[in-house]
Amino acid sequence: MNGPSLALRQRSLGDPTAEYPLFPPLTQGCPTTSTGEIAYPLDVVYDYAKVERALFDQEPGPDLARWSPLLPPLAVPTLGEGGTPLVEFGDVHVKDESRNPTWSHKDRLNRVAVSAAVAAGAPGVVVASSGNHGASAAAYAARAGLPAIVLSSADSPPAVQTFARAYGAKVVSVPVEARWPLLREVVDRLGYHPVSNQTVTHTGHPFGAEGYKTIAYELFLQLGRAVPAAVFVPTGYAELLYGVWKGFTELRSLGLAERTPRMFSCETAAGGPHARALATGAPAAIVELGPTEAYSVAGAVGGHRGVLAVRDSGGEAVLVTDEELRQAQRDLAGQGLWQELSGVAGVAGCRRLRREFDGPVVCVATSSGFKDMGVGGERYPVIENPTLDDLVN
């Protein structure tokens, strides 16, 4: 059930009275409420009174345009994003986002964010990413007919860089600290539309988290028009966490759901900026990052979105170790779900918490195991004269 976007304007998550027109997207955070130490993200406001309840009578399926009234304008044709399965895994449900076109949840964000680049008349798209986000942005830029520049860190997986190049993107490996100054230069001098963060704490693209709301809509329908008691989300910058939370708050405000779930941010124990912010009462935090193989959620910089989602939902921040992630990855693979190490943080976080809930529990799994470090580099011995014993032992 498609329809025109009902998006009205942008507003600050630091002060909801600070509002701005819908375009241009404010990709450097709220200009009124942000400071030199804290940057506040922008949210999108809709004309909810015009939302037809029949929008939620449809079956969940691919193509975010089915939810277009509750998204910013979509100017990029679909690649079949969304409509991912909900798989039972023991006593929880796993929302398997690896089934998206580029095998990660980032496709939901980039269908919306690259659409903003098209609507703004940008000559191209630029992204600072070492993994899922870069490949997804490159794919949707290609779908839109726009060039893309991907600024990747020097130690990112070669296979993921090849993935982004396959879509025609210009992929450049640079030192981690050089990525954001280069991104700003590309924006300022070439006019490219940024789909990565440009601020001291994370704000990201103001439209990006809107794409993630569709996970909440799908979960509502997949659970028989019910809301989970808890949702565990792998958390790097918390755009995914916040987007899912916002989707459920919209369902409640539209009178379709009586409650919202408790949201749990699941971060690597090597960092955990959202856990730090929640523990100290800060709107956002920056921490020192230790070593971890979970590179997709390994961030020193947090943002205010994740703090809001966890705090206002009555949830918690959960820190997980690499060994806990590896165990969850092995167990999921043993059930036919091979996920990236970072992508199983929700399952690992749920296990670490060991909490009983009054209702369904959902763990979002974000991306394919093909995205991990070292994948594809293994060499296995050739058995010259195989026997049956070689096959079964």
Side-chain angles (χ1 to χ4, degrees):
M1 175 167 174
N2 297 356
S5 171
L6 296 175
L8 297 175
R9 56 191 174 272
Q10 301 172 82
R11 70 177 173 191
S12 173
L13 288 180
D15 178 1
T17 65
E19 296 187 333
Y20 310 91
L22 187 64
F23 283 94
L26 299 177
T27 59
Q28 296 191 42
C30 175
T32 303
T33 57
S34 297
T35 69
E37 291 74 38
I38 296 292
Y40 286 101
L42 279 300
D43 199 27
V44 178
V45 179
Y46 298 83
D47 189 350
Y48 291 110
K50 292 183 179 178
V51 176
E52 296 183 17
R53 302 304 187 271
L55 184 66
F56 292 92
D57 290 338
Q58 62 185 316
E59 293 296 320
D63 187 356
L64 295 196
R66 66 181 56 247
W67 308 111
S68 55
L70 285 171
L71 294 173
L74 297 176
V76 179
T78 186
L79 287 172
E81 66 290 323
T84 57
L86 187 63
V87 182
E88 290 190 15
F89 177 66
D91 56 357
V92 303
H93 300 270
V94 174
K95 182 65 166 164
D96 185 5
E97 288 293 289
S98 73
R99 313 291 184 93
N100 280 297
T102 72
W103 311 338
S104 91
H105 64 301
K106 291 291 186 178
D107 293 340
R108 297 183 191 257
L109 179 153
N110 280 300
R111 173 81 188 281
V112 177
V114 177
S115 288
V118 173
V125 169
V126 60
V127 55
S129 169
S130 297
N132 293 314
H133 191 25
S136 178
Y140 280 86
R143 185 68 166 152
L146 292 176
I149 295 175
V150 179
L151 302 172
S152 178
S153 62
D155 58 353
S156 64
V160 177
Q161 292 193 31
T162 301
F163 196 13
R165 286 189 175 94
Y167 299 118
K170 176 71 172 178
V171 182
V172 183
S173 294
V174 299
V176 171
E177 64 275 8
R179 289 192 294 172
W180 286 274
L182 279 171
L183 184 140
R184 286 190 290 270
E185 188 172 1
V186 170
V187 172
D188 294 341
R189 296 183 60 181
L190 301 182
Y192 276 36
H193 196 78
V195 292
S196 288
N197 188 55
Q198 299 182 80
T199 52
V200 59
T201 55
H202 190 271
T203 59
H205 197 286
F207 293 4
E210 301 300 307
Y212 292 138
K213 296 189 311 186
T214 59
I215 293 176
Y217 305 159
E218 291 173 17
L219 288 173
F220 176 68
L221 297 178
Q222 288 171 321
L223 292 171
R225 302 182 72 82
V227 171
V231 181
F232 290 80
V233 183
T235 301
Y237 289 135
E239 290 167 298
L240 173 62
L241 178 76
Y242 178 78
V244 175
W245 164 241
K246 183 178 178 182
F248 281 116
T249 65
E250 289 178 332
L251 289 168
R252 182 179 60 184
S253 66
L254 290 169
L256 295 164
E258 294 183 355
R259 67 174 186 177
T260 56
R262 297 177 65 187
M263 302 295 298
F264 294 85
S265 67
C266 302
E267 301 175 90
T268 170
H274 296 92
R276 171 73 61 81
L278 286 157
T280 60
I286 300 173
V287 300
E288 184 175 345
L289 181 65
T292 175
E293 294 180 16
Y295 71 95
S296 291
V297 293
V301 177
H304 192 51
R305 286 191 186 95
V307 173
L308 283 178
V310 173
R311 185 191 68 198
D312 292 354
S313 71
E316 296 177 34
V318 186
L319 298 177
V320 293
T321 66
D322 277 20
E323 182 49 46
E324 289 170 325
L325 292 170
R326 282 190 284 268
Q327 185 61 56
Q329 185 183 48
R330 288 191 292 267
D331 292 344
L332 279 166
Q335 292 292 311
L337 297 174
W338 186 35
Q339 295 286 324
E340 181 186 357
L341 191 67
S342 299
V344 301
V347 174
C350 182
R351 288 177 163 185
R352 167 168 273 276
L353 201 62
R354 297 180 180 177
R355 186 78 49 82
E356 293 283 336
F357 293 97
D358 183 21
V361 174
V362 171
C363 300
V364 180
T366 53
S367 61
S368 168
F370 280 109
K371 309 291 186 68
D372 267 337
M373 302 287 288
V375 169
E378 303 91 342
R379 292 293 182 267
Y380 299 100
V382 175
I383 301 174
E384 297 294 345
N385 298 297
T387 66
L388 184 60
D389 285 343
D390 293 318
L391 305 183
V392 298
N393 293 325

